[in-house]
Amino acid sequence: MSLYSLIFALSCSILYIFAYTDPSVVNPQLVKRFEYKYSFKGPHLAFKDGTVPFWTFGGSAIASDEQVRVTPSIRSQRGRIWTKNPLVADHWLLDVKLRVTGRGRVGADGMAIWFTEKPGSEGSVFGSNDQWNGLGIFLDSFDNDALQNNPIIAVMINDGTKVYDHHNDGSSQIQGSCIRDFRNKPLPIQLKIEYINQALTIYINNGISHDDNAFEFCTRIDRVQLPKSGFLGVTAATGGLADDHDVLEFLTSTYSDRQQLAENQAANDEQARKYKEEYEKYEQELKQQQVDYQKQHPEATTRINEQQIYESEYDREFRVILEGQDQIRLSLTGLDNKMVELLGRIERLSTMGGGQQQIAGQAQGAAGIATGVPSDVARIQDINRVISANSDMTRTIQGFSQVLTDLQQKVNNIQSNFGNQKPSGTGQQVVGGPSTDPAILNELRDTIRQIKSETNTLLHKPNTQVKCASVDGAGDSTCLGPYTFFTIIALQIVAIIGYMTFKNRREQLSRKYL
Ligand SMILES: [Ca+2]
Ligand SMILES: [Ca+2]
């Protein structure tokens, strides 16, 4: 019989061990989400300065890369670690991997996992304060009431009024428990603490099996009323006996109802739509206010017309062409003035030409003037040269006139094309038109340059070719005129007479003294 009963007990215990199934798998309506701000795990659990992100320490707790040692195995220690922020969720799961080890056959005091309205402070309940509001799960190592029921995993929910009965291991206060020896196991033990639909369920992996998913049921409490938001924490304490209380992993997940999530999303969308409507309404009001202000203060509103401020490419091209035209006109005007001046001189020379030719005839007959001396014959040659240059210039100007006419026609064509295309201020549209080929513009520029250079050449020609054309020796002529010549002769005569007079007086004086 004893063998049968043993087999039966083993079968029952095997039945209790099962592969844990996540609530989101059991209930597809639930959507799981990992909460990294309420979790820690190794490796690199702590920063170099010993802090754990999103968590705070107190008491004897020390964090290393692999774990948080809440208390060392030293007597009368209290340590704690709490989340910095409260968790706000209707459904959640804590996955805690921990280890309680000590040299003694019996350890103390134990460890607690909390979900409370406020973060705990140092106190007498496994290192945390009494009269907490929320959930406490105790890993009570020491059998205070000597009922041989420790170590035990016990659940106690407090509304902030109950004082923990430490001497009796809270036996009359705990709502659920399972007796498990969690101390000195070869592997860390794991707890899964589910709070789904106000039902609290605890599973334990006892640290013997290498199967991380081999959990056994510990306890379940229905209709548990927990605060809407709570701080998560782990605390531990030692007494006359001491254990190392280490937490290797603390992973928090929350679950949301799929339908609720969709409703929330819809509500968010609705809110976003309302914000958008509000924004559009505000924008319209602002525009209306601007219009009203402009009506009330017409003098203060100056409409900025960008087309008036900025010169378009079309305008720039056209301005360059007009400036080129202006330069051509100025050059031709200068040329015309020079021509009039030259013609005036030619006429004057022509009127003087008859008498001078006679003088030239007489001079040739009498003396036969040698070369190198300015003569009337040379002047006649100059006149002939000027006349021939004048003819060349006239022909060139006629050529200019023809070119200018062509140029004018081309510019008119461009203007008419620009007018037909009605440019909107963007030069690219204008340049891209069929009649404004860049080749034509280049041709225009080349023609303008050619005319300018030729004009400059012509403007300098009269001064070089018509040297000494002036008969009166005035102006810019470099030749010696007759008046200058006679003036110099007269001055020389006066100087000679003066010198002779001075010489005679000197001779008379010398004779007087002799
Ligand atoms: Ca105890
Ligand atoms: Ca006990």
Side-chain angles (χ1 to χ4, degrees):
M1 278 298 285
S2 62
L3 182 65
Y4 281 118
S5 61
L6 183 64
I7 291 168
F8 180 75
L10 279 172
S11 303
C12 286
S13 66
I14 287 166
L15 280 174
Y16 272 112
I17 298 170
F18 64 99
Y20 175 79
T21 311
D22 195 85
S24 60
V25 177
V26 177
N27 184 358
Q29 273 299 107
L30 294 176
V31 179
K32 187 178 184 180
R33 175 181 144 155
F34 175 67
E35 303 287 348
Y36 69 95
K37 287 186 180 180
Y38 305 89
S39 306
F40 62 79
K41 68 174 285 189
H44 315 299
L45 186 152
F47 288 142
K48 283 188 176 176
D49 61 357
T51 59
V52 177
F54 310 112
W55 293 76
T56 56
F57 290 91
S60 60
I62 296 170
S64 63
D65 275 351
E66 300 293 334
Q67 63 183 24
V68 176
R69 174 151 289 178
V70 190
T71 66
S73 51
I74 300 172
R75 288 189 209 174
S76 305
Q77 297 291 308
R78 288 172 177 174
R80 60 187 181 277
I81 177 169
W82 287 89
T83 56
K84 286 182 179 172
N85 301 302
L87 177 71
V88 184
D90 291 332
H91 319 285
W92 44 260
L93 168 71
L94 308 181
D95 204 335
V96 187
K97 187 182 279 187
L98 52 88
R99 193 160 45 201
V100 181
T101 50
R103 284 180 294 174
R105 192 175 53 81
V106 178
D109 272 328
M111 205 171 193
I113 297 164
W114 304 91
F115 177 85
T116 55
E117 193 178 23
K118 293 175 184 172
S121 55
E122 188 174 315
S124 59
V125 186
F126 303 98
S128 191
N129 62 280
D130 209 334
Q131 294 178 299
W132 66 95
N133 184 11
L135 169 71
I137 298 163
F138 308 140
L139 286 83
D140 188 354
S141 302
F142 189 76
D143 190 7
N144 294 78
D145 58 3
L147 289 178
Q148 306 292 320
N149 57 356
N150 290 78
I152 190 171
I153 296 168
V155 180
M156 179 172 171
I157 296 151
N158 199 344
D159 57 1
T161 60
K162 295 174 196 166
V163 176
Y164 178 63
D165 182 8
H166 204 285
H167 294 294
N168 295 304
D169 298 327
S171 55
S172 62
Q173 298 169 314
I174 56 177
Q175 285 101 346
S177 65
C178 65
I179 298 167
R180 294 289 184 278
D181 187 7
F182 47 78
R183 291 182 69 245
N184 293 329
K185 293 296 177 188
L187 299 169
I189 67 159
Q190 293 179 62
L191 295 178
K192 280 192 184 287
I193 302 160
E194 271 184 18
Y195 182 64
I196 306 283
N197 296 323
Q198 296 190 329
L200 184 78
T201 315
I202 297 175
Y203 304 91
I204 182 170
N205 183 330
N206 64 4
I208 295 170
S209 169
H210 283 276
D211 182 2
D212 274 353
N213 205 33
F215 283 85
E216 59 177 313
F217 174 81
C218 172
T219 185
R220 177 185 173 96
I221 308 161
D222 290 320
R223 293 181 298 280
V224 175
Q225 296 285 341
L226 290 181
K228 269 284 178 190
S229 73
F231 290 82
L232 294 163
V234 182
T235 65
T238 60
L241 299 170
D243 279 334
D244 286 326
H245 294 96
D246 301 330
V247 184
L248 287 77
E249 285 182 15
F250 193 108
L251 307 178
T252 303
S253 303
T254 55
Y255 296 88
S256 304
D257 188 86
R258 205 175 289 275
Q259 193 177 347
Q260 187 70 37
L261 216 59
E263 285 173 6
N264 288 344
Q265 185 62 39
N268 287 341
D269 292 346
E270 178 67 18
Q271 191 69 32
R273 194 182 60 75
K274 278 183 183 173
Y275 282 143
K276 195 181 173 190
E277 277 181 5
E278 223 168 279
Y279 172 75
E280 284 171 355
K281 193 181 167 190
Y282 172 76
E283 201 177 22
Q284 283 179 356
E285 282 178 2
L286 196 67
K287 278 183 183 171
Q288 188 58 44
Q289 283 177 1
Q290 281 179 341
V291 170
D292 292 345
Y293 182 81
Q294 284 171 359
K295 280 180 185 170
Q296 288 169 7
H297 305 85
E299 73 285 353
T301 56
T302 51
R303 284 182 175 279
I304 296 170
N305 189 349
E306 290 191 354
Q307 288 186 355
Q308 286 181 358
I309 291 174
Y310 301 111
E311 184 184 46
S312 70
E313 196 170 335
Y314 160 77
D315 292 338
R316 196 175 303 122
E317 293 271 353
F318 195 65
R319 182 171 54 76
V320 168
I321 291 170
L322 287 179
E323 283 173 2
Q325 265 191 325
D326 273 350
Q327 282 182 351
I328 294 166
R329 189 177 58 77
L330 282 171
S331 300
L332 286 175
T333 307
L335 208 61
D336 189 46
N337 291 338
K338 213 77 179 170
M339 288 270 304
V340 168
E341 187 189 336
L342 284 172
L343 284 171
R345 287 185 185 180
I346 290 162
E347 278 179 13
R348 283 201 300 276
L349 287 169
S350 299
T351 52
M352 294 166 66
Q356 285 177 349
Q357 276 177 2
Q358 285 176 4
I359 294 163
Q362 286 170 7
Q364 273 184 332
I369 302 295
T371 56
V373 179
S375 68
D376 291 332
V377 174
R379 285 177 182 171
I380 286 164
Q381 285 174 354
D382 286 339
I383 289 162
N384 288 334
R385 207 182 301 149
V386 167
I387 288 166
S388 111
N390 181 39
S391 303
D392 291 341
M393 211 181 301
T394 310
R395 279 197 297 276
T396 310
I397 287 170
Q398 282 173 351
F400 282 177
S401 173
Q402 187 60 41
V403 172
L404 194 63
T405 309
D406 294 341
L407 186 64
Q408 189 67 42
Q409 280 177 355
K410 285 178 182 176
V411 170
N412 287 339
N413 287 338
I414 290 169
Q415 276 182 308
S416 62
N417 286 331
F418 284 156
N420 290 337
Q421 286 175 6
K422 293 183 180 177
S424 58
T426 56
Q428 288 175 348
Q429 291 178 3
V430 176
V431 173
S435 298
T436 56
D437 193 342
I440 293 175
L441 287 173
N442 289 332
E443 192 187 332
L444 279 174
R445 285 195 196 99
D446 291 339
T447 311
I448 288 163
R449 277 197 206 104
Q450 192 185 343
I451 289 167
K452 279 174 75 176
S453 67
E454 287 187 11
T455 306
N456 286 333
T457 313
L458 273 172
L459 282 172
H460 288 91
K461 265 186 181 176
N463 289 334
T464 55
Q465 287 187 353
V466 196
K467 267 185 185 173
C468 304
S470 177
V471 276
D472 53 6
D476 54 351
S477 174
T478 55
C479 298
L480 183 65
Y483 293 118
T484 316
F485 177 72
F486 286 123
T487 309
I488 291 166
I489 296 295
L491 284 172
Q492 283 177 342
I493 290 166
V494 169
I496 290 165
I497 291 168
Y499 177 71
M500 293 294 287
T501 312
F502 174 72
K503 199 178 175 186
N504 286 336
R505 279 191 182 181
R506 213 176 163 183
E507 283 175 2
Q508 283 173 6
L509 281 171
S510 63
R511 279 176 197 159
K512 205 181 276 181
Y513 287 112
L514 285 171

